[in-house]
Amino acid sequence: MTTIHFLGTGAADWDPKAASADPEFRRLTAAKVCDDLMIDCGPCVYEFASTFGYSGLYRGVKDILVTHSHDDHFNADAISRLAKEANGPVTVHAYPTVEKYLSETENLHFAPIPLYATFSFGHYSVTALPANHSTADKEEQPVHYVITDTDTDKTFFWGCDGAWLLNGAYHFMRHVKFDAMIFDCTVGDLENDFRVFEHNNIRMVEELVKSLVGSHHVLKEGGVIYVNHMARTLHTNRELLAARFAMDHIIPAYDNLTIEI
C-alpha cells in the first residue's frame, strides 16, 4: 500500500513557532509519503515530530518534492537538518530557481524538475504541473504534482498551493486515473476575497470536483478526495467543515492524519 502522512494542513496565517497536538491546529502544510518521500519541508516538520513523539520520523527520507519556495512550504534549515540526520543521501526535486535557496549540506543534492515531462526516482514516477500561484521570484513557477508509486501502482494528485487548474494541467489530468486527489482549500467559505486568484475557496473546490471528477471520471473506483492547506483564520472547525463537504464526499485533512491508498 501507499501511505500519505499529513504533517501539516494549514496555511501561512499564523506564527509557525507555536505547537499543539490539537487536530484543529493546522500547522504549515507538508506530507510524508511512505517512509522515503516528503512533499515540502517547511519550518514545522520537526516540531510536528516532537509534538507527536515520532523519533527519527525523517531518517528514511530519500527525496523531497518542493512545490515552491514560500516560507511555509520550504525551509532551508529544516532540509539541511533532514539531510544530516537521514540514513543516506537526500535529493531535493524542485523548479530550477529553487536551488539557490538551499544551503550546501553534505548528503544533500538538487535535481531540477521539468514541467509536463514525467521523471522518476526510487519507486516513484512524477509529473510536475504548473500551478496558478506565484512567488516573489518572477522566474519561479510553483507546481502541483501527479505522483505514482510504481511499487503499488497507486496514483495521487497533490495540489497545494494554487487556484483552480491551469488549462495545460487540466488537459494532462483529465487523462489520468487517480486513487486520491488533494486540493488546496485555503480561503474557506469567503466570497469576494483577493486570495482566490491563487488559492481555492470551498465553492471552487466543489466546482473543480464536479467538473474534473464528475465529467471526466478521473477518480478510480474507491478513490478519495481531500482538501488541504486550510487557513486557520478563514475556516470553521473540522466538524463543521466535514459536514460542509459531506455531500460531495470530500474529506478535510488534519495534522497527523495517515491515509492508505
Side-chain angles (χ1 to χ4, degrees):
M1 71 185 70
T2 300
T3 60
I4 303 173
H5 191 178
F6 291 88
L7 311 175
T9 56
D13 59 337
W14 60 278
D15 181 359
K17 298 184 183 68
S20 173
D22 186 338
E24 302 289 352
F25 185 61
R26 295 180 187 154
R27 55 186 45 76
L28 302 179
T29 298
K32 187 164 74 77
V33 182
C34 299
D35 290 321
D36 53 2
L37 172 63
M38 283 186 68
I39 305 174
D40 287 336
C41 185
C44 296
V45 294
Y46 280 98
E47 173 273 315
F48 170 89
S50 175
T51 296
F52 288 101
Y54 290 118
S55 177
L57 182 63
Y58 310 120
R59 286 178 187 159
V61 171
K62 298 178 181 177
D63 295 274
I64 302 171
L65 288 170
V66 174
T67 59
H68 62 300
S69 64
H70 275 158
D71 290 346
D72 56 324
H73 293 257
F74 174 93
N75 182 272
D77 290 339
I79 292 172
S80 290
R81 177 177 173 181
L82 190 151
K84 291 174 183 175
E85 297 178 0
N87 292 332
V90 175
T91 300
V92 172
H93 306 263
Y95 197 72
T97 56
V98 175
E99 182 178 16
K100 62 178 173 284
Y101 303 118
L102 284 171
S103 303
E104 287 192 20
T105 305
E106 188 177 358
N107 284 338
L108 184 63
H109 308 284
F110 182 81
I113 60 172
L115 295 177
Y116 294 113
T118 300
F119 58 99
S120 299
F121 53 85
H123 55 102
Y124 298 100
S125 177
V126 179
T127 305
L129 306 176
N132 186 18
H133 194 65
S134 62
T135 69
D137 185 342
K138 302 298 184 184
E139 296 182 353
E140 181 181 352
Q141 174 59 65
V143 298
H144 298 323
Y145 287 109
V146 175
I147 302 169
T148 297
D149 182 345
T150 56
D151 279 353
T152 61
D153 197 31
K154 300 293 186 178
T155 298
F156 67 96
F157 171 71
W158 184 272
C160 310
D161 293 5
W164 298 105
L165 292 174
L166 293 176
N167 185 255
Y170 155 74
H171 281 292
F172 181 92
M173 290 174 63
R174 69 190 182 96
H175 297 293
V176 180
K177 296 296 184 184
F178 294 95
D179 296 279
M181 305 183 81
I182 296 107
F183 289 104
D184 177 289
C185 192
T186 303
V187 189
D189 220 8
L190 295 185
E191 295 181 351
N192 305 320
D193 189 277
F194 70 95
R195 283 162 285 217
V196 298
F197 293 103
E198 60 176 351
H199 293 290
N200 294 326
N201 66 22
I202 289 176
R203 279 173 292 281
M204 291 163 73
V205 174
E206 291 172 334
E207 191 64 28
L208 274 168
V209 170
K210 291 174 185 176
S211 301
L212 186 63
V213 177
S215 298
H216 293 294
H217 308 291
V218 299
L219 202 63
K220 294 179 186 176
E221 184 176 354
V224 288
I225 301 170
Y226 290 86
V227 287
N228 195 6
H229 201 275
M230 295 163 285
R232 290 189 200 173
T233 56
L234 305 178
H235 273 277
T236 56
N237 63 42
R238 186 159 56 93
E239 182 179 358
L240 291 174
L241 186 58
R244 176 72 168 79
F245 272 121
M247 184 178 298
D248 296 303
H249 306 288
I250 298 170
I251 303 169
Y254 57 88
D255 294 16
N256 203 30
L257 169 68
T258 298
I259 64 173
E260 299 174 356
I261 60 172

